[in-house]
Structures are given as structure tokens and as C-alpha cells.
Amino acid sequence: QVPLVESGGGLVQAGGSLRLSCTASGRTFNSAVLGWFRQAPGEEREFVAAITYNSGVAEYGESVKGRFIISRDAAKNIVYLQMNTLKPEDSATYLCVADPKRAHTISRTQVSFDYWGQGTEVTVSA
């Protein structure tokens, strides 16, 4: 299994920005989907964004569309989540995920992703 390690979380004021990073080691993801879920206390995990690693096609959850941007640096094996215009409801633990079974089709279901990071916490204050 390849480890996924997130970083970049923290405390930010509403309207501010953060950039999360997910670094994969042990293998590359030339034919995989990489993405982000988030989970707030007492809530179900929610699909945030995903990207096809080789071609860079991205999809977003409705609640973050237009505010978040997912990208990747294939050479460095890093996936980023740029979060702009943050709202208090964006507060959650953000988890990096990988689906090595797919190369150009993005699934939004949790069970499709075989690899999960430990998560990085994002807190947005009013």
C-alpha cells in the first residue's frame, strides 16, 4: 500500500484561503484518480474533489464548486487542494484518497478509493 500524507490544514478566517497538499510515496499514480473527502464532526464523509492523475480532469462537489481547485504535480507525486473563499461550513478533516483502478473515470463514492490518508484538519472561523 502506498502512504498518503496530507499537510496544510490549519485555522483560517472566513473568506480566507488554504492550500492542502497530499504526498504519495512508494509508487506513482500515472493511471489513478486522486482526490479529497472531508468529514466534519457528526457528519458523513463528503466528496470534495478528484482529479485524473495523468490527464488532469477534475470534478468537484457542489458545495465547493467555484471556490476550490484541485491540481497535481505528477513529477513530484503531489496533489493539491486550493481552497478559496472559505466558509465556516468548510471546517472538517480533509482526507486525501486514491483510486488506482481508474484512469479517466472519477467515482464519488468512498468505497471506490483504496487508499486513504490520515487527514488534515481545517477550521474556518467566522
Side-chain angles (χ1 to χ4, degrees), residues 1-6 22-29 34 53 76-79 96 98 115:
Q1 293 182 336
V2 56
L4 302 173
V5 181
E6 305 94 335
C22 174
T23 302
S25 62
R27 61 164 288 179
T28 59
F29 290 91
L34 277 295
Y53 207 67
K76 297 181 179 180
N77 235 17
I78 299 175
V79 177
C96 181
Y115 302 101

Side-chain angles (χ1 to χ4, degrees), residues 66-78:
R67 299 187 296 120
F68 290 10
I69 301 172
I70 188 171
S71 62
R72 89 282 191 236
D73 186 333
K76 297 181 179 180
N77 235 17
I78 299 175

Side-chain angles (χ1 to χ4, degrees), residues 9-18 83 86-88 91 122-126:
L11 175 65
V12 64
Q13 288 283 116
S17 299
L18 284 174
M83 305 185 294
L86 283 162
K87 305 174 181 180
S91 297
V122 173
T123 303
V124 184
S125 62

Side-chain angles (χ1 to χ4, degrees), residues 44-99:
E44 295 184 16
R45 286 179 178 172
E46 176 188 14
F47 175 82
V48 177
I51 188 169
T52 59
Y53 207 67
N54 56 354
S55 60
V57 177
E59 294 185 8
Y60 299 91
E62 291 82 359
S63 63
V64 306
K65 186 177 181 180
R67 299 187 296 120
F68 290 10
I69 301 172
I70 188 171
S71 62
R72 89 282 191 236
D73 186 333
K76 297 181 179 180
N77 235 17
I78 299 175
V79 177
Y80 301 100
L81 184 68
Q82 178 67 45
M83 305 185 294
N84 301 314
T85 319
L86 283 162
K87 305 174 181 180
E89 50 263 45
D90 294 318
S91 297
T93 298
Y94 284 73
L95 302 116
C96 181
V97 296
D99 178 5

